[in-house]
Structure formats: structure tokens, C-alpha cells
Amino acid sequence: MPLSRSLSMSSLSGLPLWEEESLPVEDLYLFEIAWEVTNKVGGIYTVIQTKAKITVDEWGENYFMMGPYYEHNFKTQVEQCDPPSAAIKIAMDSLKNSGCQVYFGRWLIEGSPYVILFDIGGAAWNLDRWKGELWDTCGIGLPYHDREANDCLIFGSLIAWFFKELTDQLQDKPNVIAHFHEWQAGAGLVLSRSRKIPMATIFTTHATLLGRYLCAGNVDFYNNLDKFNIDREAGERQIYHRYCLERAAVHCAHVFTTVSQITAVEANHMLHRQPDVVTPNGLNVKKFSAVHEFQNLHSTNKAKIQEFVRGHFYGHLDFNLEKTLFFFIAGRYEFSNKGADVFLESLSRLNYLLRVHKSDVTVVVFFIMPAKTNNFNVESLKGQAVRKQLWDTAHAVKEKFGKRLYEALLKGEIPDMNKILDRDDFTIMKRALFATQRHTLPPVTTHNMLDDSTDPILTNVRRIGLFNNRNDRVKIVFHPEFLSSTSPLLPMDYEEFVRGCHLGVFPSYYEPWGYTPGECTVMGIPSVTTNLSGFGCFMEEHVSDPSAYGIYIVDRRFRSADESCNQLTQFMFSFCQQSRRQRIIQRNRTERLSDLLDWRYLGRFYIHARRLALSRAFPDTFKMDTFVPPPVSTTQGFRYPRPQSVPPSPSASIHSTPHHSDEEDEEPYDEDEEAERDRQNIKAPFTLGAVPPGKKKQPGEYGN
């Protein structure tokens, strides 16, 4: 059965189609195995959850996800049902009859994919036997004290057992594709291959295990990739057994993929295999799409953030909220990996620039990173209470004022404004005014921190001296909890909060992909990323001038930390110089890049990986046409041109003052006309990994 280079993709606005005949899915079963199926731990959960809809649309009832069973997650996220296939039911029954618990149902997310969940605890009695098998087969030993690794072995052994029973039932009709994500699922792949189970296998690493550990240790990772003694580094960090599992899975898989070009470079050095395909992470853009409403959503949610700021900075609210910009950084609390260190230093320099230029722009910066706390900060709660009391007082006086004015006008009189409010009204207003007096600075953090003295963010805030003083143009709010609409302090969901901000700043040092700037993009919010993040590399490859579309890419690979700080400072300072009209134009452009991040487009890379795996696992049945170019180096994409209308930022022609009025912007701008021009001016397909025309390859840059 020959496989031509074919993908059936629905039409994308502005993106050429890749028309091909589809895979014979009726003769195939596709399984995706990940520790985060129905089990939210990190970014892989987002990958598999958002990709489910397009995969179910393509594969129908022949698509299954596999993960660990957790009772609470199963009861709240899964609708239990019977398997649609007799072979799958027989395989599950075989495990159940041997004393292992397996659960089947539909995961209640968009697409409602089937899930098969394995009870790790219920099968733990087999652990010693399975450890022996792993040692005999692969020479990999797991220490008893590493519970996560032991759980992963139990999970992998159950997966391999299930596939053995299933393939015995199917007898090559239909064929099976098994896609394993990350080292936690790797044991299942290794054991399946060692037992010669007839199926096509794919392994995806979303970040190498050792890479994450090394970067957390503040080493110059990317400039020393070829100098690390991998075995020694893994051993010193007591993760050698995990590293061995990961590397074994990489080399056992028919097809090895990773999520970005920068991680492909890393994987080649850390795991000693060049990825066959790069499979970028996408989003379900439809979930975020608001067509022409996203500007209104920005305005609505910005007003909610302004209300919080009014309360948090009460008594020090001597800055104009209409000229206040909201920046934010969010994600796991990995201080160096996420670039919080560079961000804080750049904020100190930005504060200096704004003060030197006597700017009337104020920047309020939010750090949304979960840390150990014991409750809300009393001063923060008091601020919101004072704000509400002021609002209630103003509303009561307004009602009284309005009623008296209305009655006077009914009588045909112009009321005496000096008498329309009585002494009691002034007394109430004065009491409310006195309540806003404050003898302390607005708090930097909204919660009581358990490790206040050693917390990295607070330690660096003390170093740079940004304590929310009146003369500071940059204010900091550290919110050490994920956002929730039920919070008494900042009652907003993360999506609402992002829409209300002006700029997301994510100057990560280690970020294999980076969903946070991607989510900003599809919501029409400009963002800062780096050339060490998968997202930043992807945008550099696909967009001729990323900054014109509100994607600012900091060079953290070929510049020193100080130079990167200066570049980030200049990006933020230039953003502060933009007029409101320029920011609106830029948000329109940013949102226009959404199609690039849609799974309808990026899902084609997964389809290519599945085809490649089938051709390698079953070469007599599935053949790839010679027309298909070598993997990775020629997975095709498209480049957005630079917009031809008004520059999005004044960086090209800096004004003498940091902020200029909207009246200065007289350049003609037609949003619909520019959008149509962008759609028509998409450049010819280019090669992922190749250097775009006119762009010089950086020294040491990897060309895969």
C-alpha cells in the first residue's frame, strides 16, 4: 500500500493547502500514551488536550489515549463506557483477569476522545518482577527510593502487556501506531520493542530530562552542548536511570520527534539521535477566537485589572490609569529557566529610562508564578476593601445628587450647586477620603510568602529597589498563585487576565516550546519571547519581521546576559512609546498570526510522523514515495511578510519624547485592506531549519 506525501488539511486563512490523500485510518488504530492524559501536571497536558479535537476528526473511533488512573480525575473528567472494539475489550479483560485494573471511557474535553487508564497502585505488586525484566532486557536498574520512576515502570509494563494482548487479537488487521510522549511513557515503548510487538512507534520528547536539570543549575547550556559529559552529569544529579530510560526510548522508536528546532539541537547532543520530524505545539485557536471582538475584550478585561490596581495602590494612586500599561510573566516558578532574572534586571533599567525621560507612562508588572504561601496578604485585602468602600460612598452620593438634581429640573430650576449636597454628604466623603491614607508602600506581593527572605523574585526586587515608590514608573505585583475567577483579590481567569494586559514578557532561557506567548498571540496580545524558546524559533522561521506583528524576540543565544537585558529593555521602552492607536494596530496584526498556531495547520507534522513510522515498521505494506524529502530538514512551512502600512512601533523613528499624542498619527490605515494584503502576500513555502533568504546563519547554529 504506497503512501504518497499526503495530508488533508482544511482551509486556513492565508495559508496554502497541503492537499493529499489521507491515511487509511479505517485499517489503523492510533494510540497516544502520556502521563498527563486526564492528569494535569504541565504543558504536555495542554498539547494532548488541545490536539484531541483535530485527531478525533481525522481518526474517529480508531483513536485512543492512554494514561495513569487517578480516581478523582476519572470521576470528574471521564464518562465511563464500553470499548467500541472487541479486540480492545479482550485485551483489557486479560489484564483485569490477572489482577490489574484498567478503565475505559470518554475524556470530557473537546472531541471527547476515548481513554484507557491503568491503575498504577493496583499493579504495584508486580514491580519487583518488572524491574528484573527491565534489567535483563535493557540493563537499566531503578532505585527503590525513586517512586516516580518506579510508577513509570509499572505504567510502561502495563502498556506493553496491553499491546501484546491487543496485537495478538488483531493479527495485523488493523495495524497499530503507538505514540509515546516523554520519558514517563518511555518504558512502555522500550518493553514493547524488546518483545517485538508488531506496531509502529513514535517517541516525542517535549524537553530533554538532563537539559532541564542543567539549565536549572545556571550553566551556559547552549554554548557548551558538545562539551558535556552526559553520563557523568546525569549521574551527579542522581537521574542516570531516568536518563537511560529516556535515551533507550529515543533509540527504540521507529520515529523520534521533538517540539522545536532548538530542542532538536539539544536532543541530538543529549540523546545522541537527530529527530526525524519536528512537531511544533499548536492550540485550538477556535477556543480563543473572538473575530472582531478581541479588541473589545481587551478593553473590558483591562478595566477589571484597573479596578484591582486602584485598590492595590490606594493612597499612592498618583499615576494616570489611562496611561498605564500592564505587563506580565506567568508559568512555573523556575526563576532562571523562565527568564525572571533577566526580566527583573530589565525592569530596573526600564524604570530608569522612563524616569530620565520624564515619561508620563506607568508600567504595572504582574508576576503570576505559584510559590509557597499561607494566605492572602492583609494589606492587599484591605486595599480592595478600601476601594469598594470608596465606590459605595461615591455611588450613594451620586444617587442623592442625581435625585436632587432631577427634582430641581422638574420644577424648572437650576439648582444651587453649593447646596445640592448637605454637610452630612461632605462628612461621609471626607471619612472615605481619610480612609485612603496610607503610611506604607503598596505591597510587592499579594500573599504571605513562606520563604520571604530567600524567595528569588523578592530577593531580586530588594536588589534592584523597585518597592512601588511614588517616583517609580515601574510598579511590581507578585501574585504567587494561579489566577481564578473566584479569588477575592483578583477575580479573573487566566484568559481574561491575558486579554486585559498590554504585553506578555517571557524571556526564557530554557523553553522547549512556550505556550504562554502562543496564547498571547491567539488572543491578540503582543509578547516578548527568545531565540532559545521553541515558539521564538518558530516565529523567526515563519514571519519575516516578527516585531512588526507584536512578537519581540530577545537574543539569549548569541549575546551576553547584559546585552540581552539591554535588548529586552529597549523592546519594552519602545513599546511604552507607542500611542494607543499604534497598540491597537499592532494587536490586530498579532491576532492575525493565529492561523500559524492552529492545530489544523500544525497537525500536519504529526501526520507526517505517523506516515514515516508506518513505512519503517511495516515497509512491505506502507511505502513512502521518494517524493517525500528527508525528514526534519524539509518539513514545509510558510512565511508571513512584513506589513506594508504604518510601523507598529516607533523604534524605527524614535520620537524626542517617550510618549507622543494620538493626534500625531496621521498615517492612513485600513485594517481590512491590510489583512487582505497580508493574506495575499504569503511568501513561497520554505524549509524548516533552512536559513531564510537574506538571513545569515549565526555561528554555531544547527541546521537541521
Side-chain angles (χ1 to χ4, degrees), residues 346-419:
S346 300
L347 288 175
S348 175
R349 300 179 188 188
L350 175 65
N351 185 55
Y352 172 79
L353 285 177
L354 292 174
R355 289 173 63 179
V356 164
H357 287 83
K358 294 181 170 52
S359 173
D360 58 355
V361 173
T362 302
V363 177
V364 177
V365 183
F366 292 87
F367 286 76
I368 312 295
M369 290 179 157
K372 293 179 180 178
T373 65
N374 60 17
N375 214 326
F376 291 110
N377 184 313
V378 172
E379 191 64 22
S380 296
L381 290 171
K382 180 184 175 184
Q384 299 308 313
V386 168
R387 178 196 62 77
K388 188 175 185 309
Q389 182 187 15
L390 270 176
W391 171 257
D392 292 342
T393 300
H395 193 69
V397 172
K398 183 188 76 172
E399 288 290 321
K400 191 179 292 186
F401 180 93
K403 184 177 180 181
R404 290 173 182 171
L405 178 63
Y406 172 65
E407 289 174 348
L409 292 175
L410 279 177
K411 296 175 183 177
E413 303 172 357
I414 298 295
D416 184 350
M417 292 300 170
N418 294 322
K419 296 180 180 178

Side-chain angles (χ1 to χ4, degrees), residues 14-33:
L15 290 176
L17 292 175
W18 191 353
E19 290 286 359
E20 304 176 6
E21 62 181 63
S22 59
L23 275 171
V25 295
E26 65 279 357
D27 296 327
L28 296 168
Y29 277 154
L30 172 62
F31 294 86
E32 277 202 75
I33 304 97

Side-chain angles (χ1 to χ4, degrees), residues 1 24-29 62 85 87-88 166-176 198-199 618 621-622:
M1 184 185 300
V25 295
E26 65 279 357
D27 296 327
L28 296 168
Y29 277 154
N62 287 9
S85 160
I88 289 177
L166 178 65
T167 52
D168 286 348
Q169 292 292 323
L170 295 175
Q171 296 295 323
D172 293 338
K173 193 70 174 180
N175 290 118
V176 173
M199 62 183 190
F618 309 109
T621 309
F622 299 94

Side-chain angles (χ1 to χ4, degrees), residues 23 45 80 195 271 281 372 411 468 551 638:
L23 275 171
Y45 178 89
Q80 195 163 5
R195 295 168 188 173
L271 301 170
N281 290 338
K372 293 179 180 178
K411 296 175 183 177
N468 296 335
I551 309 293
F638 306 92

Side-chain angles (χ1 to χ4, degrees), residues 40 61 95 121 184 244 499 529 637:
K40 187 170 186 178
E61 299 207 336
L95 269 68
Q184 291 97 328
C244 289
R499 287 191 185 278
T529 183

